[in-house]
Amino acid sequence: WAQAQSLRLDTAQRLSADGQRVLATVSLPDAQPAQEADGPGRARYRLHFDDGQLQAAVRQVATAHPAQGQALSLYIDRACQDLMLWVNGVLLLRRTPLEIHRARDCSGPQLIPLPQALLQPGANQIDIEISGAPLAQVSSARRAMGLSALQVGTHASLEPLHRRSTLLSHELPAVGAAAVLLVGLLGL
């Protein structure tokens, strides 16, 4: 449901470390970003979207569910917890390992409020830089550095998707591990 009432961004430009040169156009998800230009464990992307397309998705939500409001958010199913995000050249978010408890974890979904004041009529740009470990250095592909497709839409339409993804990627595995531990302890 959320995907139909949000704008999906699934193509990105892979940028140089300074964000000035386009190295390649990639499809998202990008599971193993090339890291040569940025150094080990860093990747920078640029995505574009049109405000008219976004407003059409917002109107669709407002028509179907008028009580939900129109605050905008950006949903990223998979991005490293160590990330920086710019909207139209303005730094919106900077998360570093010192600010979060799961440093270098690339498995968690992100739901980031997107201030309307940062959006421009017509073309808009999102730059995102992630840091993480390559696949060879982690226990699963889900924890390796990578970037999923992004979705822009109303917070109300994206929040259930974020909640479900958080449940599936973090909370259910923790419950499963606790259950295995309990069975093991009872078997002693």
Side-chain angles (χ1 to χ4, degrees), residues 124-147:
N124 287 274
Q125 173 179 298
I126 295 173
D127 285 5
I128 185 166
E129 182 178 302
I130 57 173
S131 298
L135 182 58
Q137 296 179 5
V138 293
S139 60
S140 77
R142 186 89 177 137
R143 293 201 175 275
M145 184 172 77
L147 181 65

Side-chain angles (χ1 to χ4, degrees), residues 39-123:
R42 298 196 82 69
R44 192 163 182 173
Y45 300 88
R46 178 166 291 151
L47 299 95
H48 300 275
F49 68 94
D50 185 87
D51 185 52
Q53 294 171 317
L54 176 60
Q55 294 308 322
V58 168
R59 280 191 301 276
Q60 188 177 7
V61 171
T63 301
H65 305 280
Q68 288 189 344
Q70 294 186 11
L72 297 177
S73 288
L74 174 66
Y75 174 75
I76 309 170
D77 186 56
R78 179 171 173 250
C80 296
Q81 297 287 338
D82 184 1
L83 66 90
M84 294 175 67
L85 182 101
W86 295 263
V87 176
N88 293 321
V90 176
L91 182 63
L92 176 62
L93 177 70
R94 181 182 187 141
R95 289 191 181 150
T96 64
L98 297 176
E99 296 168 338
I100 55 171
H101 69 282
R102 290 184 310 213
R104 297 284 191 194
D105 183 0
C106 297
S107 65
Q110 308 281 329
L111 186 61
I112 303 162
L114 187 61
Q116 290 260 7
L118 293 181
L119 299 179
Q120 302 169 355

Side-chain angles (χ1 to χ4, degrees), residues 1-3 5-6 61 68-77 109-114 151-168 171:
W1 180 80
Q3 201 166 359
Q5 298 184 349
S6 64
V61 171
Q68 288 189 344
Q70 294 186 11
L72 297 177
S73 288
L74 174 66
Y75 174 75
I76 309 170
D77 186 56
Q110 308 281 329
L111 186 61
I112 303 162
L114 187 61
Q151 293 183 52
V152 182
T154 63
H155 183 83
S157 68
L158 294 173
E159 198 274 332
L161 182 63
H162 178 257
R163 195 172 345 120
R164 187 188 87 222
S165 185
T166 300
L167 176 71
L168 294 175
E171 294 172 14

